[in-house]
Amino acid sequence: MDTYFAPAKRADTDTLKKEIATVACNPIIHELLNSISGLIAVLDEHRQVVALNDSLLRVLGIEDPGAVLGLRPGEALACVHCNEEPSGCGTTRYCSTCGAAIAITATLAHNKPEERVCAVTANRGGGSAEFSLLVKASPLTIEGRQFVLLFLQDITLEELRAALERTFFHDMGNMLTGLLGVSRLLDAKGNDSMLVNVLQQSAQRLYKEMEVQRCLFKNDISELRVAREETTPQQLRDELKNMFDSHSAAIGKTLDLTGELPQLSIRTDVSLALRVMCNMVTNGLEATDAFGKVKAWFVESADALTFCVWNDTCIPEEVRYRIFQRSFTTKEGNGRGIGTYSMKLIGEKLLGGRVTFNSCQEQGTVFRFALPKG
């Protein structure tokens, strides 16, 4: 199989040289590339770069434009997936959900402008970096040949701020609602030690949640202090039940937390672990139709305690490849795509666990969060 999405074929060397010369000699394109400060490139019908401006070269960290000419956009940007198939950018399993690939192929197919948001994970300095780009592709005809004029705008900070703002107010609102509800009961019933304990736990979770949001906003999760303490599946389930008794995502749906509990204790940061688990349950509830059911349970293995969440919805195959990528989302509106990303980030990098999932039409979707026993 040559490709999973866009055509694999590339221009041969002679054709590519002619295309580069044709574009370079066009006075309108020359003026456009030299007068606009934005990020601009011209692609041929095979999605290969035949011209680009200095602004884009600077962003790519390349001085010689010859190093970019002939590459496809993902290859020029050093997308981590561009070399996963022999034919490169546009042909991998990930490309069918890439905003840039969709915009470019749609423009070539329909000869009209197309604009999309593209979430990119790129190789940078021995590691990887996440970017969000607003991509606009417009059809262009020069000397009877078909080209694409590509405009790129870096909206990484805008997307991150919108996502964190949405997540912050959503999560804070839910936690404060629970805190206020318990405090009212405490006031009405007198000094009840159990209610006081719940109130104290909620306050602690609220404080830790604010710390998580602060570090995510700074894009430096390493600053977050992990405070490990003994806890049990029973304690974790009780707190989850309290969280979702009045959660907006659970309205009109059933959350089944009644599975048999493993009899063990583990040391972990309870606030952070509950944040991952809460996101897992919320995602399951949001993916479930009205009157549907979500199941959550704990499983013990030789080296881990695993929290599982099931719902009967199958995640589309093209979405599964990007489920943990920051800013990638299938939901409407700005500021999405941070929930599953933070699950992976906190669950694995901070707590040393493992966050995975599997999904199919016959059995639905199960997310798993395995916490080490040691």
Side-chain angles (χ1 to χ4, degrees), residues 334-350:
N334 292 332
R336 300 284 190 177
I338 204 73
T340 50
Y341 167 77
S342 66
M343 281 164 43
K344 192 84 165 174
L345 184 70
I346 294 170
E348 296 188 356
K349 290 194 175 181
L350 290 180

Side-chain angles (χ1 to χ4, degrees), residues 52-216:
L52 71 166
N53 67 350
D54 290 340
S55 297
L56 182 51
L57 280 172
R58 284 194 293 272
V59 168
L60 297 176
I62 297 173
E63 295 183 3
D64 178 17
V68 181
L69 297 178
L71 298 181
R72 286 173 174 162
E75 295 153 3
L77 291 167
C79 170
V80 296
H81 303 298
C82 69
N83 294 318
E84 293 183 2
E85 295 296 331
S87 298
C89 171
T91 66
T92 77
R93 294 176 183 269
Y94 292 83
C95 297
S96 64
T97 57
C98 171
I102 293 170
I104 294 164
T105 54
T107 295
L108 287 168
H110 306 297
N111 199 40
K112 63 179 183 180
E114 188 75 25
E115 185 174 277
R116 295 293 178 103
V117 173
C118 176
V120 181
T121 304
N123 291 311
R124 288 290 186 275
S128 62
E130 304 277 350
F131 298 96
S132 293
L133 300 173
L134 181 63
V135 179
K136 183 172 183 179
S138 297
L140 186 66
T141 302
I142 304 174
E143 296 183 7
R145 284 184 173 273
Q146 186 181 26
F147 294 91
V148 174
L149 189 60
L150 197 66
F151 296 88
L152 304 174
Q153 181 184 349
D154 187 348
I155 57 170
T156 304
L157 289 179
E158 291 91 332
E159 284 287 297
L160 181 58
R161 285 175 182 146
L164 294 178
E165 181 182 359
R166 179 187 290 269
T167 304
F168 180 82
F169 286 110
H170 181 268
D171 291 351
M172 290 302 100
N174 287 333
M175 295 188 75
L176 283 171
T177 298
L179 191 62
L180 290 171
V182 171
S183 67
R184 291 192 185 101
L185 286 173
L186 184 63
D187 183 57
K189 294 186 177 183
N191 189 10
D192 188 309
S193 60
M194 184 185 72
L195 291 175
V196 171
N197 184 53
V198 173
L199 185 62
Q200 291 174 337
Q201 286 181 338
S202 297
Q204 290 171 355
R205 304 293 176 255
L206 180 59
Y207 175 80
K208 197 57 170 277
E209 183 66 25
M210 290 177 64
E211 287 295 294
V212 170
Q213 295 293 344
R214 181 182 65 83
C215 293
L216 285 174

